[in-house]
Amino acid sequence: MTVERIRAWQPGEGARRATEAFRGAFGSEPDGVWSAPGRVNLIGEHTDYNGGLCLPIALPHRTYVALGITDDRTVRLVSAQEGGGAWAMPVAEVGPGAVDGWPGYAAGVAWAMAQAGATGAGSAGVPIGGFDAAVDSCVPYGAGLSSSAALECAVAVALDDVFDIGLAGSDHGRALLAQACIRAENEVAGAATGGMDQTAALRARDGHALLYDTRDGSVRHLPFDLGAHGLALLVIDTRAPHRLVDGQYARRRDTCNAAAAHLGVPTLREVDADALDDALAALDGELVTPAGATASPDVLRARTRHVVTEIARVEQFVELLAAGRVAEVGPLMDASHVSLRDDYEVSCPELDVAVEAARAAGALGARMTGGGFGGSAIALVRTTAVDDVAAAVAAAFDEHGFEAPATLVADAAGAAGRTV
Ligand code: GLA
């Protein structure tokens, strides 16, 4: 069975496509083209809004944004993926509640960067004027590979450059740009996501996995060269519809906040894995969450157990990686999947079938990646087995009557920046 492989564009191709879209829509030349990658998370899922650890890599698949400053104080956007002509709004009107759909991710970044304190340099925001932008992307859309963060971060580095803000030149500045992108996503696009995706897109390094500690915002770059170990990371886009804005994600976040509050800690990161049983025992009553939902003790315990054990798995994964023993991380990936499926309840039949079929076909480990409820799974496989594992997953999907999956092989790529 042949399985679709999602190709990553070369930078020249991405730049050409975005430039042509720009010329077609606006009849002028852009000031440049910037791009930002999608990501896959190796391990550490649903930990980023719990003060925890996660370990993403940036994908070679990127979103390209051709952008040019204008003098009419209006944002104009077109997207090759979305079609439908140009979207436009005066810069001053962009903000929470004002923008529907995909433009919120792009225009929202301009709003967030202009907010007070966005540069970290004091109380003033940065002046963002009018601009035109055209977007094209080879990051699979809606596949749990952070196409939205790639869009935000490509716009962020473009605005940083054309308005001479100068944040993209340092890791500290990039962390501030990531904060602006997170605000755009949370407050303008209305998705209550954590921050791993934007951090990966802006702060990852080519050939490295990014250990992101969301408690203090620090990052560590760990060499990640699977090829040197005869291994590859197969990403399986299940094509099951994936929606983060539908309330389930926000509900998980709310439940975790409730559990932490009940335990008297700022976040579940502060629950020591060695003291997990005591913490679970202390979650003994039904309680009302910050958002006003009720959560049973069983649900609170299951969600807490996932977060605490998942953070411990990231630590173990990093130890193996640092010791050159990446071939041994498979069982941690498997355990992560079981925890996400049973305790966190964010998997779905397509993800479970992908993971099981990959393992049965010889993957060393496999798990869902990203927010879940659809999206993608990852499998650690011997380089020689990539095609067989992909074919086995496709055959299993066929047997279950699922839409055919698509795949890609993920090498750790570089962060957002100027392309031309
Ligand atoms: C989505 C969110 C991230 C993170 C993951 C789960 O991708 O955007 O912030 O919470 O889900 O790990």
Side-chain angles (χ1 to χ4, degrees):
M1 185 171 284
T2 50
V3 186
E4 183 186 337
R5 189 64 62 82
I6 305 166
R7 188 173 65 88
W9 298 339
Q10 292 299 316
E13 179 178 0
R16 181 181 52 70
R17 283 173 176 259
T19 302
E20 280 170 10
F22 188 98
R23 285 184 192 131
F26 308 117
S28 60
E29 288 299 306
D31 294 335
V33 179
W34 294 259
S35 65
R39 62 98 190 90
V40 277
N41 190 19
L42 300 174
I43 197 155
E45 220 66 82
H46 288 277
T47 54
D48 63 347
Y49 51 84
N50 285 301
L53 302 168
C54 50
L55 190 68
I57 59 170
L59 289 174
H61 299 68
R62 298 174 81 89
T63 292
Y64 293 83
V65 173
L67 187 143
I69 293 186
T70 60
D71 53 15
D72 61 1
R73 308 206 57 76
T74 296
V75 187
R76 269 185 223 84
L77 304 169
V78 289
S79 158
Q81 276 67 50
E82 301 285 341
W87 172 94
M89 186 177 274
V91 180
E93 287 177 23
V94 174
V99 190
D100 287 333
W102 76 269
Y105 292 94
V109 171
W111 168 80
M113 286 173 72
Q115 293 306 294
T119 59
S123 58
V126 298
I128 302 283
F131 62 92
D132 293 341
V135 181
D136 204 347
S137 179
C138 63
V139 181
Y141 183 81
L145 301 175
S146 290
S147 54
S148 33
L151 172 57
E152 292 153 9
C153 296
V155 170
V157 289
L159 296 178
D160 180 67
D161 203 349
V162 295
F163 290 109
D164 274 331
I165 302 165
L167 292 175
S170 69
D171 184 62
H172 173 69
R174 283 174 172 261
L176 292 170
L177 288 176
Q179 287 308 321
C181 292
I182 295 164
R183 283 196 73 179
E185 182 151 334
N186 291 174
E187 298 176 43
V188 180
T193 52
M196 161 173 72
D197 310 340
Q198 296 80 2
T199 301
L202 282 159
R203 298 172 73 189
R205 222 178 253 173
D206 199 13
H208 292 74
L210 184 78
L211 176 62
Y212 176 36
D213 186 336
T214 64
R215 179 161 57 185
D216 61 7
S218 63
V219 296
R220 202 174 128 202
H221 302 278
L222 295 144
F224 188 70
D225 180 5
L226 290 179
H229 297 263
L231 296 172
L233 191 71
L234 179 68
V235 180
I236 303 145
D237 172 7
T238 65
R239 295 217 161 117
H242 153 92
R243 282 274 161 267
L244 285 183
V245 201
D246 71 356
Q248 286 292 337
Y249 183 96
R251 198 176 308 167
R252 295 296 180 285
R253 197 169 173 159
D254 183 43
T255 306
C256 289
N257 290 341
H262 191 75
L263 295 170
V265 289
T267 65
L268 290 179
R269 172 69 180 281
E270 308 309 323
V271 177
D272 195 338
D274 296 332
L276 178 58
D277 287 345
D278 294 343
L280 297 182
L283 291 166
D284 56 358
E286 187 161 278
L287 54 82
V288 178
T289 68
T294 48
S296 73
D298 283 349
V299 167
L300 289 164
R301 287 187 189 127
R303 306 296 189 250
T304 302
R305 186 164 50 228
H306 166 70
V307 173
V308 174
T309 59
E310 183 76 353
I311 293 168
R313 282 187 286 273
V314 179
E315 286 167 342
Q316 292 161 26
F317 195 117
V318 165
E319 272 171 31
L320 288 172
L321 206 54
R325 293 164 58 193
V326 69
E328 295 170 45
V329 302
L332 294 170
M333 296 171 72
D334 295 346
S336 170
H337 186 77
V338 169
S339 180
L340 287 156
R341 185 190 67 198
D342 297 346
D343 276 344
Y344 219 63
E345 296 183 275
V346 291
S347 190
C348 67
E350 290 88 344
L351 286 168
D352 293 341
V353 167
V355 162
E356 278 153 29
R359 263 193 228 126
L364 305 183
R367 58 182 290 275
M368 56 157 278
T369 186
F373 308 110
S376 294
I378 52 174
L380 182 68
V381 297
R382 304 236 173 258
T383 319
T384 47
V386 168
D387 291 338
D388 289 347
V389 172
V393 172
F397 270 44
D398 193 41
E399 270 166 37
H400 282 80
F402 300 154
E403 192 181 334
T407 59
L408 57 92
V409 174
D411 291 320
R418 185 164 190 150
T419 303
V420 288

